[in-house]
Amino acid sequence: MSFKNTFTSVIASAIALTAFAGLSYAQDASAAPKADGQKQEKLDRKGDRRGNMGRRGIGHGGHRGFPGLRAIQLTDAQKEQVRLIHESNKPDAAAIEHMKAMRESFKAGTTPTPEQKEQMKAMREQRRAKAESTRQQILAILTPEQRQQLDTRRTEMEKRMKDRKEFRKNRKTGDKIAPDGVKPSDN
């Protein structure tokens, strides 16, 4: 048998083996039993690894526009008020669809007109204003202690972000300084 025939046979066998392994894995995954109650509850809260967010919101533990609330213990009444604030400040579905359609047409290669650019800018400003209004309404229902917790958490997050930025900058320049400022030992 020539080298060319042997090589072709090995490649064909590897491809066939990979295809059969993939098919059997797909069958096993679809036939697998559903996750038990605790695991399913976790998936519902946090979403899965593919980025699907589950039932509670867009990746912020149900506190859509205000992720810092996740760390604060809210009373049931406050949770209901936050939910009502979010419900009353939902964006207009028609405006969202219009904006998506415009964005898709721009991605397809259509050049936006000055009127469309102005319209998109106005829509963004409305969204920002509504988000700020929602934020202020939520802050109004928090106790002073909860606001203090929120401020503390915000400063901690800003410090971590600054440290990460510094670490990435140092990593690009070749310095080996960890985010906490400690220089790791070279082995």
Side-chain angles (χ1 to χ4, degrees), residues 51 66 71 100 142 148 174 177:
F66 215 139
K100 281 182 183 179
L142 297 178
Q148 180 61 39
I177 299 175

Side-chain angles (χ1 to χ4, degrees), residues 156-169:
E156 289 171 358
M157 286 173 50
E158 287 172 356
K159 182 186 179 314
R160 281 197 308 263
M161 287 173 31
K162 181 182 171 198
D163 288 346
R164 286 181 189 143
K165 186 176 182 179
E166 184 75 22
F167 176 71
R168 285 192 300 271
K169 184 178 105 179

Side-chain angles (χ1 to χ4, degrees), residues 57-122:
I58 307 174
H60 298 297
H63 304 293
R64 290 174 283 238
F66 215 139
L69 289 179
R70 185 174 30 184
I72 297 175
Q73 295 294 324
L74 298 174
T75 65
D76 290 337
Q78 286 175 320
K79 289 178 186 177
E80 182 62 21
Q81 286 177 322
V82 168
R83 188 186 68 74
L84 290 174
I85 289 169
H86 281 299
E87 287 294 319
S88 66
N89 289 302
K90 270 188 177 178
D92 182 27
I96 290 174
E97 287 302 317
H98 179 66
M99 197 166 193
K100 281 182 183 179
M102 285 176 34
R103 202 173 21 224
E104 289 300 319
S105 70
F106 300 154
K107 283 182 183 179
T110 305
T111 305
T113 64
E115 295 83 27
Q116 288 175 326
K117 287 181 180 180
E118 210 41 52
Q119 189 178 19
M120 293 279 283
K121 185 177 179 181

Side-chain angles (χ1 to χ4, degrees), residues 120-159:
M120 293 279 283
K121 185 177 179 181
M123 293 169 99
R124 276 193 299 271
E125 289 301 318
Q126 284 177 341
R127 264 197 344 246
R128 285 186 187 123
K130 194 173 249 191
E132 183 58 29
S133 168
T134 302
R135 184 177 185 282
Q136 292 302 322
Q137 290 174 21
I138 291 172
L139 284 174
I141 65 169
L142 297 178
T143 65
E145 294 84 23
Q146 290 170 330
R147 286 187 196 158
Q148 180 61 39
Q149 289 174 349
L150 194 62
D151 289 339
T152 303
R153 180 150 169 85
R154 184 180 304 118
T155 56
E156 289 171 358
M157 286 173 50
E158 287 172 356
K159 182 186 179 314

